[in-house]
Amino acid sequence: PASQAQLPGAERQAAGRAMPRPPPLLPLLLLLGFVSTAVRAHQPPPPAGSPAGRCFCQVTGYLDDCTCDVETLDAFNNYKVFPRLQALLESDYFRYYKVNLKKTCPFWSVTGHCGIRDCAVEPCQSDKIPDGIRSASYKYSEEANTSAKDCEEAERLGAVDESLSDETVEAMRRWTQHDDSADSFCEVDDIESPEAEYVDLLLNPECYTGYKGPDAWKIWNSIYEENCFKPQSIKRPLNPFTSGREENEGNMFYSWLEGLCVEKRAFYKLISGLHASINIHLSARYLLQDTWSKKQWSHNVTEFQQRFDEVLTRGEGPRRLKNLYFIYLIELRALSKVLPFFERPDFQLFTGDRDRDRELKSLLLEILHLIKSFPLHFDENSFFAGNPREAAKLKEEFRIHFRNISRIMDCVGCIKCRLWGKLQTQGLGTALKILFSERQIENMPERGPSPAFHLTRQEIVALFNAFGRISTSIRELESFRYLLQTLQ
């Protein structure tokens, strides 16, 4: 069946990766990306009415409000950025993220965590947990790794595996930095809170957990309806909470959207792009088989079609995919602008392993210089460029709306979904902070403290992992293109 369509061996291995790849595989990944891009370049576009055409025929050419086209971004991401970025994100510095997953929802009463069994957290029995984990240790050692795998089998899909190990509790404390920026676009967790814990992102990949229905809709409805500058009189297409769906509601909505200023229009596209990216991850890492002896994760083509097929979504799907490319361009631009911060001689990606830390910084700078060389960056100079007083007011409104969205993530009932929602909103918020701190970045001292602009370790980890999620989504579109073409 379509939901269980399989990729060829090399594609399946790359797309379904759950455990870290060693650095020597990087050249192989680059080669696979090159082959995939070259093959696509010589393939004719899918017929408009075919399964592939109904998702991708409109996802081509130039993007609105940008000077870049989809095909250029595909080649740049899949061949150059994606493989290098995956190697970076598998390092100790970027795999551990400190987060408070126990904060109370500030907007409505959440009766409990997700009631679906696959979202529930079922802790392992105490005799299954190594002493290092029971004593709140934070290093992912070989012993902790073996036990964590046993624990993960006992936990459900939505559970967050918080096992790190003993060797790193001290290292994590040394990594912690306490300063925050007044220009933050996110509600930042108090990482010194007793409820804040380190989570190993490689042990807790973003995937389908079964969290859906009214509770999940409420999250996205609150984001779109209350925080995207939209009046109540304008109906959002495919809103599950609307009693009736008028045929022209999409036309009305997009006429209204096009009439907005570029900043508010960009805000909606960023949220839509983030939403699209999350839906791609859920479709690409879907639990197709769940038995006592085996869990099979793979691409669910039917799920992807329900979210992005032009006919099934009344034209919304291709727009969502284009907004994915928009958020990619925004985060790409932010990374190109923050290069001077990471180039400073005294900046370290500090974990305590001096040689590995130097190698990691070298890889990070290689990625950032590669991104800097991209010739078709988004031009953010059109943002907040009018009357200075009005521009400042709009920027503050923009920031407050986004901070509000970051707070909504504490209302997500599924713990694993909450983890990735908080990380990705903080990553996008950090990208926005960078874009609107150009003068501060230019005036940074080459050495020593930089009071005007600084990124905490938590912001750095969120920034690169969030971009990694968007990069992975664009890479996964290649997989879904292939799978949908096999259905023709």
Side-chain angles (χ1 to χ4, degrees):
S3 63
Q4 298 188 32
Q6 293 292 308
L7 293 165
E11 294 272 63
R12 185 169 63 251
Q13 182 180 7
R17 175 187 54 80
M19 296 301 294
R21 284 187 299 266
L25 283 182
L26 181 56
L28 176 60
L29 292 172
L30 291 169
L31 178 60
L32 288 174
F34 174 77
V35 170
S36 174
T37 303
V39 168
R40 184 186 167 203
H42 290 86
Q43 286 179 340
S50 66
R54 281 167 44 170
C55 289
F56 293 109
C57 262
Q58 295 182 38
V59 187
T60 185
Y62 284 91
L63 300 165
D64 296 339
D65 297 325
C66 303
T67 59
C68 189
D69 62 276
V70 166
E71 290 74 17
T72 298
L73 284 175
D74 280 341
F76 183 71
N77 177 73
N78 298 346
Y79 173 38
K80 296 182 177 180
V81 173
F82 173 80
R84 292 173 172 88
L85 190 59
Q86 295 310 298
L88 182 80
L89 297 181
E90 288 161 1
S91 67
D92 279 356
Y93 187 94
F94 287 99
R95 69 188 289 179
Y96 297 117
Y97 178 62
K98 195 168 189 180
V99 61
N100 183 354
L101 298 174
K102 301 173 184 176
K103 292 176 74 172
T104 303
C105 173
F107 300 109
W108 59 79
S109 175
V110 178
T111 55
H113 295 313
C114 176
I116 302 173
R117 66 182 181 90
D118 290 339
C119 284
V121 175
E122 297 181 10
C124 295
Q125 297 177 2
S126 59
D127 60 353
K128 296 286 187 181
I129 305 174
D131 291 340
I133 296 176
R134 281 205 300 270
S135 62
S137 56
Y138 292 103
K139 171 65 183 144
Y140 184 64
S141 64
E142 183 176 356
E143 179 185 9
N145 180 13
T146 303
S147 179
K149 290 178 182 176
D150 294 336
C151 290
E152 197 171 47
E153 278 301 307
E155 294 181 356
R156 302 310 306 161
L157 303 182
V160 170
D161 185 335
E162 295 168 349
S163 63
L164 303 171
S165 85
D166 213 17
E167 184 181 326
T168 334
V169 156
E170 187 59 33
M172 290 291 183
R173 287 175 184 157
R174 284 180 288 162
W175 293 355
T176 303
Q177 301 178 41
H178 303 280
D179 47 321
D180 189 15
S181 168
D183 291 329
S184 172
F185 280 74
C186 285
E187 183 78 15
V188 180
D189 285 349
D190 176 10
I191 59 174
E192 295 304 308
S193 165
E195 294 186 328
E197 300 175 291
Y198 283 100
V199 175
D200 187 334
L201 299 175
L202 297 184
L203 278 182
N204 296 279
E206 188 176 21
C207 59
Y208 182 82
T209 65
Y211 180 62
K212 58 183 178 181
D215 289 341
W217 295 341
K218 188 174 184 179
I219 299 294
W220 287 109
N221 196 64
S222 178
I223 290 173
Y224 283 115
E225 297 295 320
E226 300 169 18
N227 295 282
C228 283
F229 304 96
K230 188 183 76 60
Q232 292 295 322
S233 58
I234 300 296
K235 303 300 181 185
R236 180 168 53 91
L238 303 182
N239 183 350
F241 286 101
T242 347
S243 55
R245 294 182 179 176
E246 300 178 11
E247 290 298 325
N248 66 340
E249 65 182 10
N251 294 333
M252 293 173 58
F253 176 81
Y254 286 104
S255 295
W256 162 79
L257 187 66
E258 290 305 312
L260 289 178
C261 64
V262 65
E263 295 88 353
K264 292 182 178 180
R265 191 164 62 244
F267 191 97
Y268 171 81
K269 288 181 178 181
L270 288 174
I271 300 305
S272 173
L274 176 61
H275 194 181
S277 179
I278 291 172
N279 281 334
I280 291 170
H281 302 150
L282 305 188
S283 302
R285 189 174 172 83
Y286 196 95
L287 188 62
L288 298 178
Q289 180 182 345
D290 185 9
T291 66
W292 66 272
S293 62
K294 181 181 180 182
K295 286 185 174 69
Q296 180 187 350
W297 300 88
S298 190
H299 296 75
N300 187 325
V301 177
T302 301
E303 188 75 19
F304 182 85
Q305 288 175 302
Q306 289 173 350
R307 299 172 188 269
F308 299 107
D309 183 283
E310 179 186 8
V311 175
L312 298 178
T313 62
R314 298 185 184 181
E316 281 298 295
R319 288 191 179 102
R320 295 168 180 170
L321 292 178
K322 280 201 167 186
N323 290 337
L324 167 69
Y325 286 92
F326 182 78
I327 190 175
Y328 182 87
L329 275 173
I330 292 293
E331 295 194 3
L332 193 76
R333 179 58 170 160
L335 290 171
S336 76
K337 293 178 75 70
V338 79
L339 174 60
F341 175 81
F342 293 105
E343 279 187 316
R344 294 180 306 155
D346 57 352
F347 175 81
Q348 298 182 64
L349 295 170
F350 181 73
T351 67
D353 183 339
R354 183 175 301 177
D355 292 338
R356 179 60 183 147
D357 291 349
R358 277 199 298 263
E359 292 173 3
L360 196 62
K361 182 175 180 180
S362 177
L363 176 58
L364 177 105
L365 293 179
E366 176 189 341
I367 293 170
L368 292 179
H369 278 286
L370 172 65
I371 289 172
K372 185 80 172 179
S373 71
F374 184 68
L376 298 171
H377 274 295
F378 180 81
D379 181 8
E380 76 284 359
N381 291 324
S382 59
F383 285 174
F384 311 113
N387 177 281
R389 181 175 297 179
E390 289 299 317
K393 180 181 177 183
L394 180 59
K395 179 180 177 181
E396 179 62 12
E397 192 176 2
F398 195 99
R399 187 179 68 86
I400 289 172
H401 277 240
F402 197 87
R403 284 179 69 95
N404 212 39
I405 290 173
S406 72
R407 298 175 71 202
I408 292 174
M409 292 300 129
D410 287 316
C411 302
V412 176
C414 168
I415 296 299
K416 187 173 286 186
C417 307
R418 181 182 295 196
L419 163 66
W420 285 102
K422 287 169 74 77
L423 181 144
Q424 290 178 82
T425 51
Q426 184 178 22
L428 178 54
T430 304
L432 295 173
K433 169 183 170 179
I434 293 166
L435 284 180
F436 304 135
S437 302
E438 183 174 13
R439 185 177 299 110
Q440 292 90 330
I441 294 173
E442 288 176 350
N443 294 331
M444 278 189 311
E446 186 174 343
R447 294 181 179 274
S450 173
F453 179 83
H454 187 75
L455 295 179
T456 66
R457 179 185 178 274
Q458 190 185 27
E459 287 176 314
I460 294 169
V461 172
L463 174 67
F464 282 91
N465 274 283
F467 181 63
R469 294 284 76 208
I470 304 298
S471 173
T472 299
S473 292
I474 290 178
R475 178 65 182 80
E476 287 289 5
L477 291 185
E478 285 295 314
S479 301
F480 281 110
R481 280 188 183 97
Y482 172 84
L483 294 172
L484 285 165
Q485 285 171 355
T486 65
L487 302 179
Q488 297 180 60

